[in-house]
Amino acid sequence: MFHDQSPIYQQIAEGIKNDIISGALKEEEQVMSTNQYAAFYRINPATAAKGFQLLTDEGILYKKRGIGMFVSPNARETLLEQRRERFFEEVVDRMLTEANQIGIPLEDIASRIQSRRGDRS
């Protein structure tokens, strides 16, 4: 499950975010405890806790005292909006900058996108 490209606690947070986006975890649903998570993935509980803390700081998870961690209301929509913004910044904006530098007209880009979307319909 884990790779060497980013810290494990960030991968934990990203995995939980992906589960929320996919619907595997629903809003107001309880998530595994940090100790359960650590035991399941055979990692240090402090590492799991750090990943959960990231999500809590972002408002994606919240803690019910004495009960555990839960998915926040509107977490999925918040994450989708973040991913959409990241897509535009990392993909579309970079693509448009490159297209401008090499002289590709916006109409050609729009046409190509439209034709590719048609291939997948």
Side-chain angles (χ1 to χ4, degrees):
M1 168 174 184
F2 302 113
H3 54 75
D4 292 336
Q5 295 155 348
S6 62
I8 291 174
Y9 72 91
Q10 287 178 342
Q11 293 177 60
I12 291 167
E14 203 57 37
I16 292 171
K17 287 178 179 182
N18 289 337
D19 286 346
I20 293 168
I21 289 172
S22 74
L25 281 173
K26 307 269 188 256
E27 294 175 0
E28 299 294 345
E29 185 174 339
Q30 187 171 9
V31 298
M32 283 192 284
S33 72
T34 54
N35 288 333
Q36 290 170 321
Y37 204 91
F40 185 81
Y41 290 106
R42 298 175 187 239
I43 60 172
N44 187 313
T47 301
K50 193 170 181 181
F52 279 52
Q53 188 61 52
L54 278 178
L55 296 170
T56 302
D57 292 346
E58 291 180 27
I60 303 303
L61 297 181
Y62 71 96
K63 186 174 191 168
K64 286 187 183 178
R65 187 176 214 138
I67 299 174
M69 300 293 286
F70 291 80
V71 178
S72 297
N74 300 315
R76 185 172 187 275
E77 192 53 44
T78 298
L79 290 169
L80 287 172
E81 185 57 38
Q82 288 173 359
R83 294 267 175 103
R84 287 179 191 117
E85 186 58 36
R86 188 170 72 198
F87 172 79
F88 281 107
E89 289 174 1
E90 294 178 2
V91 178
V92 176
D93 292 350
R94 287 182 186 177
M95 176 191 64
L96 292 173
T97 298
E98 176 72 11
N100 188 45
Q101 289 175 345
I102 61 175
I104 299 174
L106 185 57
E107 296 79 25
D108 290 357
I109 295 169
S111 176
R112 173 59 76 80
I113 290 170
Q114 202 63 11
S115 71
R116 296 292 178 158
R117 268 194 112 160
D119 292 347
R120 299 172 206 267
S121 302

